[in-house]
């Protein structure tokens, strides 16, 4: 079976479901309204966490996607809380980049005292995978 992937103008990538809504949800909604082909990609499920469950997170992510008007959201299901910039994860994300061929990739960068270590590793991973994808 052959799977086809939507070619995107903009792909927003972050470690956890809810990161994109919080950091750039308004931007994504505006880009959709302006006619850009936009997608969201979560690197992990965000579980385990003391606040919620896998099912609740999936429901919330889907609801947020609908509210923002973004037509496509994916999850790579990389390991949460131990997300690392490593060759295997770079290849997984680079493959998604090659499948969707975005012209623009949005991600979170930098460190804050309250941020998960996954956030910093996610930034490194996006930078490396963009290079690996050779787009």
């Amino acid at each position: 079976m052959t799977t086809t992937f939507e070619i995107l103008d903009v792909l927003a990538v972050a470690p956890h479901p809810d990161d994109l809504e919080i950091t750039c949800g308004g931007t994504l909604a505006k880009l959709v309204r302006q006619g850009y082909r936009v997608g969201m990609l979560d690197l992990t499920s965000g579980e385990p966490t003391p606040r919620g469950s896998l099912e609740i997170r999936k429901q919330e992510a889907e609801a947020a996607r609908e509210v923002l008007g973004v037509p496509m959201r994916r999850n790579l299901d990389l390991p949460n809380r131990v997300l690392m910039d490593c060759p295997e994860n770079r290849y997984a994300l680079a493959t998604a980049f090659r499948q969707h061929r975005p012209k623009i990739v949005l991600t979170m960068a930098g460190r804050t005292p309250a941020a998960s270590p996954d956030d910093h590793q996610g930034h490194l991973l996006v930078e490396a995978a963009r290079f690996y994808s050779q787009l």
Side-chain angles (χ1 to χ4, degrees):
M1 177 171 99
T2 303
T3 303
T4 59
F5 293 93
E6 182 178 356
I7 302 302
L8 300 170
D9 297 311
V10 179
L11 181 61
V13 182
H16 311 109
D18 79 6
D19 289 341
L20 294 172
E21 294 88 320
I22 293 168
T23 60
C24 63
T27 298
L28 298 178
K30 186 171 185 174
L31 289 169
V32 169
R33 285 195 311 273
Q34 291 175 341
Y36 291 94
R37 295 168 300 181
V38 177
M40 300 168 77
L41 193 147
D42 304 309
L43 297 174
T44 78
S45 68
E47 290 301 322
T49 182
R51 295 180 282 281
S53 69
L54 186 57
E55 295 76 26
I56 290 170
R57 276 196 180 258
K58 284 182 179 181
Q59 291 170 357
E60 290 174 344
E62 178 59 16
R65 181 199 65 75
E66 289 177 2
V67 166
L68 296 174
V70 175
M72 191 282 301
R73 187 171 200 159
R74 259 179 99 170
N75 193 307
L76 287 188
D77 290 320
L78 299 177
N80 185 53
R81 291 194 178 179
V82 291
L83 182 66
M84 296 300 288
D85 172 26
C86 64
E88 296 80 13
N89 291 345
R90 289 177 180 186
Y91 298 145
L93 182 54
T95 298
F97 286 161
R98 300 279 303 162
Q99 291 165 336
H100 295 291
R101 306 186 75 71
K103 294 177 182 132
I104 298 170
V105 175
L106 298 178
T107 195
M108 304 176 345
R111 298 183 197 205
T112 64
S116 161
D118 286 354
D119 294 344
H120 178 64
Q121 289 296 312
H123 168 233
L124 298 174
L125 182 55
V126 169
E127 283 186 358
R130 196 264 338 133
F131 175 79
Y132 278 35
S133 72
Q134 291 298 299
L135 296 178

